[in-house]
Amino acid sequence: MDGKDLAEADSGAVDPGTLRFLKVLVGTLTAVMILGLIAIVALLVIRLGPAPAPTLPDAITLPDGTTPLAVTYGAGWYAVATDEALLIYGTDGTLRQTVEINLE
């Protein structure tokens, strides 16, 4: 092999049709990845949206001398924690149960 043959072998000449195919392939894969990412973000936004607020009465009446410290709710009830007790109310605002808290 002489120097001229080596130069032609190392030139890396590629068929233009192959380059065009690779360009279209890379562009298509990029578009598919972008659409997939948009779909994932949309699904996360839809699934992790705000939770529905519970239905609570407009006002509740706590026993005299109690101060609410925390409120939590479940299906059909909500509870108010005070220093001495846990007051469990129905969604209509009526007191259902009182659980005394003894820290001794």
Side-chain angles (χ1 to χ4, degrees):
M1 268 189 164
D2 62 358
K4 189 175 185 183
D5 292 336
L6 286 176
E8 288 177 8
D10 288 339
S11 68
V14 180
D15 182 32
T18 304
L19 287 178
R20 192 174 306 115
F21 171 72
L22 288 175
K23 184 178 178 181
V24 169
L25 186 65
V26 168
T28 303
L29 290 175
T30 302
V32 168
M33 287 180 60
I34 290 171
L35 291 175
L37 185 61
I38 290 171
I40 289 172
V41 169
L43 287 173
L44 285 174
V45 168
I46 290 169
R47 295 287 183 185
L48 300 178
T55 14
L56 299 174
D58 293 332
I60 59 169
T61 304
L62 296 175
D64 290 335
T66 59
T67 304
L69 299 176
V71 177
T72 188
Y73 62 92
W77 61 271
Y78 63 95
V80 178
T82 65
D83 285 332
E84 299 91 20
L86 184 63
L87 308 170
I88 302 173
Y89 291 88
T91 53
D92 58 354
T94 59
L95 182 63
R96 287 188 182 175
Q97 185 178 359
T98 301
V99 180
E100 297 294 326
I101 299 173
N102 295 320
L103 297 176
E104 299 172 3

